[in-house]
Amino acid sequence: MDLNYSPEDREFRAATRRWLETNIPKQELKTLDERKAWHRKLYEAGYVGMLWPKEYGGWGATPMQQAIVQDEMARVSAPPAINGLGIGFIGPTIIVHGTEAQKKRYLKRMLTAEEIWCQLYSEPNAGSDLASLKTRAEDQGDHFVVNGQKIWTSSGPIADWGILLCRTDPKVPKHRGISCVLLNMRQPGVEVRPLKQITGSSLFSEVFMTNARADKSDLIGDVNGGWAIAQTTLGFERGGNALGRVTRYVTAFNQLVKATKELKRGGKPLIDDPAVRARMGRIYADLEVQRYAALRVLSALQKGDAPGAASSITKLSYTEFEKRYYELALEILGPFGQLMVAREEFEEVDTSSGEPGTFATAFLWSRAGTIYSGSSEIQKNIIGERVLGLPKEVRADRLKA
Amino acid sequence: MDFSFSSDQQLLKNSARAFLDEHCQPATVRLLWDDPRGESESMWKEMAQLGWHGLSLPEAYGGSGLGMVETAILLEELGRAAYPGPYWPTVLSAAAIEAAGNDAQKKRWLSAIATGDARATLAFLDRDLDWDPAAVTTRAEKSSKGWTLSGTKRFVPWAHVADVLLIPARAPEGPSLFLVDPSGAGLKLSPVQGMDLATRWVHLEMDSVPVAGDAVLGAPGQAAALLSGLLRRGAVGAAAEMLGAARRCLDMAVGYAKVREQFGQPIGSFQAIRHKCSEMLLEVENSHSAVYYAAWALDAKAEDHELAASVAKAYVADASRKVCGEAIQVHGGIGFTWEYDLHIYFKRAKALEAMYGDVDYHREQIVRRATR
Ligand SMILES: Cc1cc2nc3c(=O)[nH]c(=O)nc-3n(C[C@H](O)[C@H](O)[C@H](O)COP(=O)(O)OP(=O)(O)OC[C@H]3O[C@@H](n4cnc5c(N)ncnc54)[C@H](O)[C@@H]3O)c2cc1C
Ligand SMILES: Cc1cc2nc3c(=O)[nH]c(=O)nc-3n(C[C@H](O)[C@H](O)[C@H](O)COP(=O)(O)OP(=O)(O)OC[C@H]3O[C@@H](n4cnc5c(N)ncnc54)[C@H](O)[C@@H]3O)c2cc1C
């Protein structure tokens, strides 16, 4: 056991910090073009696509270096890179399962955010039970004709391309009739309708496909082989945000400290109230444990250990923590915690969601983490079955299959 | 950055597990419940021969010069076995003597502790429920031959078997730490029994207990920082033991959930049980991270080592209470019986939760450090 950063990692951190000091945008990035320009700058500095192989435009860096970059960006609340789903997960899928032509066509433009990607998986009636999806893709020789509806599609309104799971054979058991294909979002057959979230903004959307076209050359893997592709959790970015996430929590905690010093009760700052202190002590202990756990994950990644099902523990841990965290923060702040606009007691909070806002914004966002990317219940099923080896549950769809 | 155990550390863990599986079975623990001393002399001697007592003592005193990480590895295994005896109080006291003692004091005690010939304990709590070492109310007055100590010490672990007591007391110079002979005049020891029958506490009444002039550890009045450090070290050790107890309970719960059938299926196939077990694993894994981070931070004198110790104690106390309790729930009626072994570990975790600073105390330490 040695939890010191290596001299190389320390040097890398210092260099990253210097780079950010000179290059961090001085003004808030308002338009997509501004965010793309910042993304491009990050990419060229070697801070995007860090774990991607060099031959595909990546940087072949270590997980620790990637975590350090995210951590340093969080430290100065730098705006994040965009195209996260593409770079974190769709690109790696293409790298592993795609053809040479697909790699040439898509990867570089994904890295540089020239083309923005979205994930077209969930449907109104296929969420956790993704394999029950109904969107149809009919084989027309050189292309598929796609009809159906997707939902909760993040970045839908700004996406140029999507990775689509669709049914190519409705007659076989549900897992065996699914294909994975890349869909051009900029075509007449694809309509994106923004959905308003509980935060009031519209970062996800519905996607309607009416006789949309997907070329055969954009099929990933084999026809009806899509489920296996959806199951390979590749995540070249896995663990990459482990430290940065915690640093954003700390930044928000410092805001909370500031607020509890300024807000008074009975003539005394809230921070002198033992009930407030007990809550803050609980938050901070949990927060530090998230940091230790992050280091543990990074240490394992560094050694080349694949986290496998154990990454469910990490996801469950921090998403559930985030809910507790902001619940306690809002309890402490009373009605002040419900303000959706920053004011003197607390400036804007680093909500760790990518959407700027206040504690109220962070509190609302914390409800999403335990739903997407496999809900907490699904994670607990995975941990129970695959880590603890508990017997599988009796499930209606398994009885049928 | 390497969070995994080295091969030597893994070896230590495996050999400790093997030794305790053989020598400290639940039946052994149960036998000692009725023993007036509450510990096994032969187990103590064998542990010493394995080098456990001197694990973190300098080689000059027969130790191995290892650190808190190795100590935590042992303590986790001891907690997993609900080992009954004064191991941690003795080793913690040795750390105090090593850190602050003079040559004569070290010579007198450290080798004897390493060989298993001496036991020691530290009395943190006075009359009140106050873990802050600076709040000590026991008085130390100067006398012609040295000092006299007067006051009350509560919940002193294993003092009835100790050869030396480490007693914090307030001297005119300030908080000081004394080496006290438990058989000395004016000292009254009475047993105090909590719900864990394998944890023994002692109530100490001191009425003008004479202590030699050279029995102060370090300089008089200078013990506050030393004691804070010992309390934190004690807390990390207790967290490691609680982690061990929690892991044992998790293992038992998962094992049971795989074989116990109701409604025609193993209960582990019900989500209500499976999800509980997954949450328990999450708490155990987070506790592991907290304990070993804190242990490493102590060894490395990392700048956050004080914070990390309080985080470990506060977090693992909550986690182990939850995990051990839920293990009983998973077991149903049998988990509530005396004959079934779960309550041994449930009670051990609970006993440690209250020692070396409870959750409230450590949360307050955390807030002080985090809001500076
Ligand atoms: C902010 C946000 C962004 C998203 N972005 C995308 C995106 O970009 N692309 C995309 O494809 N999807 C996206 N999603 C969708 C997300 O993947 C789904 O919401 C998720 O898979 C859950 O599906 P569902 O909403 O249909 O809930 P359901 O599956 O209907 O679940 C409802 C409840 O039942 C529980 N449940 C379901 N099955 C089980 C079971 N077997 N055992 C126990 N409990 C169960 C769930 O845990 C949940 O609590 C996003 C969601 C959110 C909130
Ligand atoms: C103090 C005490 C007094 C008692 N007194 C009496 C008495 O006077 N008379 C009497 O007849 N009995 C008595 N009982 C027995 C009590 O009713 C049983 O313990 C209880 O029914 C649970 O059964 P079990 O112990 O076999 O546990 P199990 O049924 O084996 O349950 C083990 C675990 O699995 C869970 N589980 C079981 N089935 C499911 C399911 N379908 N879905 C989800 N989870 C499930 C349970 O909730 C529990 O957590 C007493 C028990 C106690 C502790």
Side-chain angles (χ1 to χ4, degrees):
Chain A
M1 257 192 91
D2 179 5
L3 305 183
N4 283 308
Y5 290 93
S6 70
E8 296 78 33
D9 288 338
R10 277 201 296 270
E11 175 44 41
F12 181 79
R13 186 183 282 277
T16 307
R17 189 169 295 190
R18 282 194 301 273
W19 187 88
L20 281 168
E21 268 161 22
T22 353
N23 290 287
I24 191 169
K26 306 280 176 294
Q27 268 130 31
E28 196 192 327
L29 306 179
K30 293 214 171 70
T31 65
L32 182 59
D33 281 344
E34 284 171 353
R35 292 172 63 206
K36 280 188 176 180
W38 168 237
H39 178 107
R40 176 98 205 183
K41 211 164 178 180
L42 284 169
Y43 170 68
E44 277 158 8
Y47 298 149
V48 168
M50 293 182 70
L51 299 191
W52 283 35
K54 284 199 174 127
E55 50 183 314
Y56 301 118
W59 300 99
T62 66
M64 179 56 86
Q65 288 175 330
Q66 192 195 21
I68 287 172
V69 168
Q70 291 301 318
D71 195 24
E72 286 299 314
M73 286 178 63
R75 212 180 57 84
V76 292
S77 294
I82 53 179
N83 225 6
L85 271 175
I87 291 160
F89 147 84
I90 303 169
T93 304
I94 295 175
I95 288 174
V96 175
H97 298 287
T99 63
E100 276 314 306
Q102 289 167 344
K103 292 176 190 175
K104 262 218 175 67
R105 165 64 188 84
Y106 296 115
L107 291 177
K108 186 69 191 270
R109 280 181 241 186
M110 181 186 285
L111 273 179
T112 54
E114 248 170 285
E115 289 172 342
I116 304 284
W117 284 75
C118 68
Q119 182 190 20
L120 301 162
Y121 280 19
S122 303
E123 296 181 5
N125 290 312
S128 302
D129 182 12
L130 184 59
S132 66
L133 59 91
K134 291 208 170 59
T135 293
R136 281 282 281 137
E138 267 161 292
D139 198 332
Q140 303 287 332
D142 67 336
H143 69 281
F144 294 102
V145 171
V146 183
N147 282 287
Q149 184 196 344
K150 295 290 172 176
I151 197 167
W152 322 128
T153 314
S154 301
S155 302
I158 59 167
D160 304 294
W161 286 88
I163 187 167
L164 172 79
L165 284 184
C166 49
R167 188 154 304 281
T168 34
D169 187 348
K171 289 189 283 294
V172 293
K174 61 180 180 180
H175 296 95
R176 289 189 222 137
I178 295 170
S179 297
C180 179
V181 65
L182 310 177
L183 183 77
N184 187 342
M185 299 290 285
R186 312 284 186 192
Q187 58 168 306
V190 175
E191 188 199 345
V192 181
R193 292 188 203 152
L195 284 170
K196 206 166 179 176
Q197 301 153 180
I198 62 171
T199 55
S201 55
S202 302
L203 298 182
F204 62 22
S205 55
E206 290 176 293
V207 176
F208 296 87
M209 289 151 291
T210 317
N211 294 326
R213 181 191 165 106
D215 286 330
K216 265 285 177 61
S217 59
D218 285 331
L219 178 73
I220 304 286
D222 299 328
V223 176
N224 294 330
W227 186 249
I229 289 167
Q231 288 299 291
T232 32
T233 41
L234 304 147
F236 281 8
E237 308 273 305
R238 196 185 285 121
N241 200 21
L243 291 176
R245 185 185 303 121
V246 178
T247 298
R248 289 183 199 270
Y249 295 149
V250 173
T251 307
F253 186 86
N254 292 336
Q255 294 276 11
L256 185 63
V257 172
K258 185 163 176 279
T260 54
K261 284 179 174 166
E262 282 170 22
L263 286 169
K264 294 199 172 65
R265 173 157 53 217
K268 281 190 298 190
L270 286 187
I271 194 153
D272 291 344
D273 180 339
V276 168
R277 296 178 76 77
R279 288 192 181 100
M280 293 185 58
R282 166 140 196 240
I283 292 174
Y284 206 78
D286 275 17
L287 194 159
E288 281 293 287
V289 172
Q290 296 300 327
R291 191 166 70 82
Y292 310 152
L295 294 176
R296 197 165 156 209
V297 166
L298 281 171
S299 144
L301 285 174
Q302 196 82 330
K303 293 189 150 187
D305 297 345
S311 62
S312 287
I313 300 178
T314 311
K315 199 245 168 189
L316 181 65
S317 180
Y318 77 76
T319 54
E320 292 290 339
F321 159 70
E322 203 168 303
K323 286 197 295 199
R324 286 198 301 279
Y325 179 3
Y326 291 113
E327 277 169 9
L328 287 168
L330 259 67
E331 280 176 31
I332 290 170
L333 295 170
F336 292 90
Q338 313 218 351
L339 301 172
M340 292 290 288
V341 213
R343 42 170 290 150
E344 57 189 294
E345 286 84 358
F346 38 85
E347 299 128 27
E348 216 164 69
V349 170
D350 200 331
T351 62
S352 52
S353 67
E355 184 179 357
T358 59
F359 279 106
T361 322
F363 167 76
L364 293 172
W365 259 111
S366 73
R367 305 310 307 188
T370 53
I371 298 171
Y372 61 64
S373 297
S375 69
S376 286
E377 289 72 25
I378 297 299
Q379 303 300 343
K380 288 180 204 171
N381 283 342
I382 294 172
I383 296 166
E385 278 180 21
R386 298 196 214 147
V387 185
L388 293 174
L390 286 166
K392 289 199 155 118
E393 70 188 292
V394 179
R395 250 174 37 192
D397 63 340
R398 283 188 184 142
L399 290 177
K400 269 185 275 165
Chain B
M1 175 71 51
D2 186 359
F3 215 123
S4 55
F5 294 146
S6 68
S7 53
D8 283 351
Q9 289 166 339
Q10 191 57 49
L11 212 64
L12 176 69
K13 184 177 176 68
N14 296 347
S15 69
R17 171 78 57 99
F19 174 83
L20 292 164
D21 277 350
E22 189 185 341
H23 293 91
C24 193
Q25 294 170 359
T28 326
V29 178
R30 286 169 183 273
L31 270 179
L32 289 167
W33 282 346
D34 301 324
D35 186 270
R37 284 177 64 89
E39 59 144 356
S40 152
E41 173 71 24
S42 62
M43 205 193 313
W44 181 260
K45 275 276 147 69
E46 279 180 84
M47 286 161 61
Q49 271 160 21
L50 289 168
W52 292 6
H53 298 318
L55 197 70
S56 57
L57 288 176
E59 283 167 21
Y61 302 105
S64 315
L66 295 171
M68 191 61 201
V69 171
E70 286 79 9
T71 304
I73 287 172
L74 272 191
L75 285 167
E76 180 183 344
E77 291 305 318
L78 289 165
R80 193 176 191 283
Y83 153 81
Y87 179 77
W88 187 224
T90 298
V91 169
L92 188 61
S93 302
I97 296 168
E98 206 234 314
N102 57 35
D103 275 351
Q105 290 163 336
K106 290 185 190 177
K107 280 215 181 74
R108 167 69 189 87
W109 292 112
L110 296 186
S111 305
I113 285 174
T115 54
D117 290 317
R119 294 164 174 80
T121 189
L122 232 156
F124 280 112
L125 270 189
D126 279 25
R127 178 168 291 283
D128 299 338
L129 183 52
D130 203 333
W131 290 104
D132 182 356
V136 59
T137 53
T138 294
R139 277 169 296 114
E141 277 152 12
K142 290 220 165 67
S143 71
S144 54
K145 289 190 202 110
W147 304 84
T148 60
L149 304 189
S150 299
T152 302
K153 293 287 177 186
R154 290 184 151 169
F155 301 99
V156 187
W158 299 95
H160 62 298
V161 297
D163 301 289
V164 60
L165 308 172
L166 277 67
I167 306 275
R170 182 172 298 285
E173 295 90 337
S176 311
L177 187 55
F178 295 88
L179 295 168
V180 177
D181 175 0
S183 59
L187 192 68
K188 194 164 154 267
L189 284 71
S190 18
V192 174
Q193 192 56 63
M195 61 183 163
D196 177 18
L197 297 178
T199 292
R200 300 296 172 91
W201 288 318
V202 172
H203 181 101
L204 288 184
E205 286 293 349
M206 292 170 291
D207 182 11
S208 301
V209 176
V211 177
D214 61 2
V216 186
L217 266 185
Q222 301 299 308
L226 171 67
L227 285 166
S228 299
L230 289 167
L231 186 70
R232 281 192 296 271
R233 182 174 289 269
V236 175
E241 263 192 81
M242 292 190 284
L243 165 63
R247 208 180 272 283
R248 177 77 165 241
C249 288
L250 169 66
D251 290 349
M252 289 175 75
V254 170
Y256 190 75
K258 287 179 185 172
V259 297
R260 169 70 173 172
E261 292 194 6
Q262 289 288 281
F263 303 97
Q265 311 163 41
I267 57 168
S269 68
F270 300 128
Q271 286 194 359
I273 295 298
R274 188 142 39 114
H275 286 191
K276 213 183 271 303
C277 290
S278 301
E279 287 161 18
M280 290 158 70
L281 177 66
L282 164 69
E283 293 300 343
V284 166
E285 292 302 338
N286 276 349
S287 295
H288 175 102
S289 302
V291 164
Y292 290 100
Y293 185 92
W296 171 82
L298 267 181
D299 285 342
K301 298 187 181 62
E303 61 180 33
D304 61 345
H305 74 275
E306 299 171 336
L307 173 68
S310 284
V311 167
K313 185 61 166 50
Y315 189 91
V316 182
D318 280 347
S320 62
R321 180 194 326 111
K322 175 174 169 176
V323 171
C324 299
E326 294 286 49
I328 294 181
Q329 181 64 23
V330 168
H331 278 79
I334 196 152
F336 193 66
T337 62
W338 191 260
E339 283 70 31
Y340 205 76
D341 292 329
L342 267 180
H343 69 114
I344 299 178
Y345 314 102
F346 178 63
K347 289 170 179 171
R348 171 56 53 87
K350 197 67 195 158
L352 289 163
E353 181 187 330
M355 301 302 285
Y356 306 105
D358 49 25
V359 175
D360 284 342
Y361 173 81
H362 284 291
R363 283 204 184 134
E364 174 59 25
Q365 303 310 306
I366 292 165
V367 174
R368 280 185 202 173
R369 290 177 201 288
T371 60
R372 269 205 289 250

